[in-house]
Amino acid sequence: MAGATPTTYSPSPTTRKTKSLIFRNDDVDWVRTDGRDFHQCRPAFFKIGAVNAAAGSAYAEFGNTKVIVSVFGPRESKKAMLYSDIGRLNCNVSYTTFATPVRGQGSDHKEFSSMLHKALEGAIILETFPKTTVDVFALVLESGGSDLPVVISCASLALADAGIMMYDLVASVSVSCLGKNLVIDPVLEEESYQDGSLMLTCMPSRYEVTQLTITGEWSTPKLNEGMQICLDACAKLATIMRECLKGPDSALEE
Amino acid sequence: MGNDTELVTPGEKLGRASEFKAGRGAYVSPDNLTVYASLTGLRHIVSPPPDSPDQRPIVEVTGHKAHGAIPEPGSIVIARVTKVMARMASADIMCLGTKSVRENFTGIIRLQDIRATEIDKVDMHKSFHPGDIVRAIVLSLGDARAYFLSTAKNELGVISAQSAAGVPMVAISWTEMQCPITGQIEHRKVAKVGG
């Protein structure tokens, strides 16, 4: 090092995150890693009744994103809770140690837990189980991008499987803003290079949005476009979810 | 009534609110226009009771598993007494009506709710012992901790109890049960079973 050490600190320009080659150009010439169109979702797979011990459960697989959600209850609220005339919803999202490419701690995800709670509570008819609590435990088996939207959709399916009264199923889809392009249902790599993200959670047949999360910089037309394609994708996702509920797995009782 | 076997899922439209009333597993949207399903199951149309002023048929969703039963005021429960204190006894609810509960719920029988008459002369320890099986009615949702239960009816009270010798006792009066082996008499708030 020649000369005196600098007295002030400024971020060096080289630490700015560098985009990988395919995302570098802001034109439409690149293709997505899995060969999808920008507005094409990954194939969705749902299965209900994956956990025997739970009142209701569902497994979802979107590409490499694999989650399992179990629902317990309604059961007695914890003793420390105050009396309430309506039911409570308790959500918990956790990751397995092997969910991420880098082996993690497998700990609870507080932020996702509260976002899952916010996304679902508007859709559940809480008045039908006063004083009691419904527990929703989501476990991300493999994180392949768009984890939270998959968790939310899967959780609503698990709630339906548990027989919890709901206003509607809840479907959730996210889009990433990469340069000029909007890519729907981003994979992990696309999420790490995104300039902004938008996640929309809605009740498709009621056409009501229960949650909207936006990060990064968005222009109004972009935002509109993003919300439109999300709403459209949610409606299509819901038809897949309904098919799963009506499928041969659904246990019809006499 | 025609399409009785249609399988529906939460959020699916069941009909217009002007034509149908929402029954079990269904609800009316806030704008009062549409009836939606809130459960997965079969769409059923039930004709209204002939004496009701509202003659719209009732649409309901049935057949699929509903969530486990939860106690509500007025339901008859079978509970096991866990703890007896001077002013109240706590009990774990085991059955709701004829169905066993999937999850455990706690109930409390307060001293004043044990019997209907002479409630000032009731002694908690002469009414219940831990381990007794009681039939009770849910009075209210209670407080944050437990549901309030009552045994203030002839058919409510202890239906099964074990003596100190560990054998099921036989009821000999409204307030007494006897051990068939030792002949020892213990006090209970006995329920009138059968008859």
Side-chain angles (χ1 to χ4, degrees):
Chain A
M1 274 292 194
T5 48
T7 48
T8 57
Y9 169 81
S10 64
S12 69
T14 48
T15 56
R16 204 176 170 279
K17 77 177 176 194
T18 48
K19 292 185 173 183
S20 86
L21 207 60
I22 55 158
F23 299 126
R24 190 172 291 158
N25 299 322
D26 277 353
D27 55 24
V28 290
D29 278 348
W30 53 276
V31 285
R32 300 177 74 173
T33 45
D34 45 7
R36 277 183 288 155
D37 291 342
F38 290 159
H39 291 186
Q40 191 182 1
C41 294
R42 289 173 290 184
F45 173 77
F46 289 106
K47 184 177 170 65
I48 54 170
V51 181
N52 281 332
S57 59
Y59 168 80
E61 189 174 321
F62 285 53
N64 282 333
T65 307
K66 302 179 180 85
V67 303
I68 199 158
V69 180
S70 8
V71 172
F72 294 88
R75 56 189 178 190
E76 205 165 40
S77 298
K78 286 207 187 74
K79 303 287 179 200
M81 297 285 209
L82 287 172
Y83 175 83
S84 107
D85 270 332
I86 59 167
R88 282 196 183 83
L89 179 69
N90 173 37
C91 295
N92 187 27
V93 179
S94 53
Y95 277 71
T96 55
T97 50
F98 47 83
T100 45
V102 181
R103 199 175 171 86
Q105 292 288 309
S107 57
D108 290 359
H109 203 302
K110 290 269 164 55
E111 189 193 350
F112 279 7
S113 302
S114 73
M115 280 165 88
L116 176 62
H117 180 270
K118 281 261 154 52
L120 293 176
E121 75 172 340
I124 299 174
I125 312 181
L126 294 168
E127 290 79 8
T128 53
F129 46 98
K131 227 187 104 168
T132 50
T133 306
V134 167
D135 291 310
V136 176
F137 297 118
L139 181 66
V140 180
L141 299 172
E142 187 176 346
S143 163
S146 310
D147 297 347
L148 187 58
V150 178
V151 164
I152 292 171
S153 309
C154 188
S156 96
L157 212 54
L159 284 167
D161 182 44
I164 308 291
M165 297 254 247
M166 291 196 292
Y167 293 111
D168 193 359
L169 290 178
V170 180
S172 180
V173 171
S174 68
V175 291
S176 275
C177 187
L178 284 155
K180 285 181 189 148
N181 307 308
L182 288 179
V183 294
I184 198 164
D185 199 15
V187 297
L188 209 55
E189 194 184 11
E190 287 162 341
E191 272 187 333
S192 60
Y193 295 117
Q194 69 190 3
D195 300 314
S197 77
L198 181 153
M199 185 189 83
L200 186 131
T201 306
C202 70
M203 300 194 275
S205 83
R206 299 286 306 271
Y207 208 62
E208 285 176 43
V209 173
T210 63
Q211 196 185 37
L212 177 65
T213 314
I214 299 164
T215 60
E217 223 172 273
W218 289 80
S219 62
T220 313
K222 260 270 165 54
L223 214 55
N224 280 333
E225 192 196 340
M227 284 169 62
Q228 264 325 312
I229 61 173
C230 275
L231 279 169
D232 187 45
C234 282
K236 285 171 181 160
L237 187 59
T239 54
I240 300 174
M241 291 161 69
R242 290 193 201 288
E243 271 168 30
C244 171
L245 278 175
K246 291 176 182 178
D249 293 337
S250 66
L252 273 173
E253 276 176 11
E254 289 305 311
Chain B
M1 231 192 242
N3 45 10
D4 261 7
T5 50
E6 194 190 343
L7 196 56
V8 293
T9 52
E12 277 185 48
K13 290 189 175 98
L14 295 177
R16 281 149 59 123
S18 53
E19 292 163 29
F20 294 106
K21 241 176 10 180
R24 285 188 301 151
Y27 70 95
V28 181
S29 62
D31 57 11
N32 248 329
L33 287 176
T34 321
V35 181
Y36 291 96
S38 66
L39 287 174
T40 312
L42 299 170
R43 178 179 183 267
H44 263 285
I45 295 166
V46 183
S47 18
D51 53 339
S52 90
D54 196 344
Q55 281 300 311
R56 284 177 298 171
I58 299 162
V59 62
E60 57 179 32
V61 178
T62 52
H64 197 262
K65 67 172 183 185
H67 64 70
I70 54 167
E72 52 185 73
S75 45
I76 301 284
V77 299
I78 308 286
R80 179 189 275 125
V81 177
T82 53
K83 201 156 74 174
V84 180
M85 289 156 284
R87 301 189 59 80
M88 58 171 150
S90 60
D92 282 346
I93 296 170
M94 301 190 301
C95 293
L96 271 164
T98 54
K99 286 202 179 104
S100 76
V101 288
R102 254 186 254 169
E103 310 284 346
N104 230 331
F105 295 99
T106 319
I108 280 179
I109 308 168
R110 296 172 299 176
L111 192 62
Q112 64 267 37
D113 297 326
I114 291 180
R115 67 179 187 209
T117 54
E118 294 187 289
I119 59 170
D120 50 331
K121 293 199 179 108
V122 184
D123 183 350
M124 182 54 87
H125 294 286
K126 284 187 173 175
S127 306
F128 304 117
H129 282 223
D132 291 357
I133 309 294
V134 294
R135 179 157 59 201
I137 188 167
V138 179
L139 276 185
S140 73
L141 296 177
D143 56 14
R145 276 186 218 98
Y147 293 88
F148 286 165
L149 307 178
S150 166
T151 55
K153 267 181 184 172
N154 279 349
E155 65 272 24
L156 304 177
V158 177
I159 48 177
S160 167
Q162 285 194 345
S163 70
V167 281
M169 291 193 289
V170 182
I172 51 172
S173 78
W174 292 119
T175 56
E176 286 168 320
M177 288 179 116
Q178 190 175 28
C179 175
I181 289 181
T182 60
Q184 188 191 11
I185 291 172
E186 291 187 21
H187 291 278
R188 291 291 196 283
K189 195 296 177 187
V190 180
K192 182 186 176 186
V193 181

